[in-house]
Amino acid sequence: MKNIFARFAADESGATAIEYGLIAGLIAVVIISAVSTLGKNISNKFNAVANNLT
């Protein structure tokens, strides 16, 4: 029984998967916030150009 717990404690594959998941989540949040900010800025520029054309 002690051997089973020792192997379980030494197994780090689950921790690695969790770390990769957290990194992927962080990257997704950064991408979403960047696209949102850029989208608003681009939209404002297009509106300004459209208003100057009319």
Side-chain angles (χ1 to χ4, degrees), residues 20-33:
Y20 283 135
L22 290 173
I23 291 170
L26 180 63
I27 290 171
V29 167
V30 169
I31 290 172
I32 289 170
S33 62

Side-chain angles (χ1 to χ4, degrees), residues 32-54:
I32 289 170
S33 62
V35 167
S36 175
T37 302
L38 286 175
K40 290 177 185 174
N41 290 339
I42 291 172
S43 177
N44 290 338
K45 292 291 182 185
F46 277 124
N47 287 334
V49 169
N51 289 336
N52 287 333
L53 290 176
T54 57

Side-chain angles (χ1 to χ4, degrees), residues 1-17:
M1 187 73 155
K2 194 175 187 181
N3 190 16
I4 294 172
F5 287 121
R7 281 188 295 162
F8 180 73
D11 185 18
E12 295 182 359
S13 62
T16 303

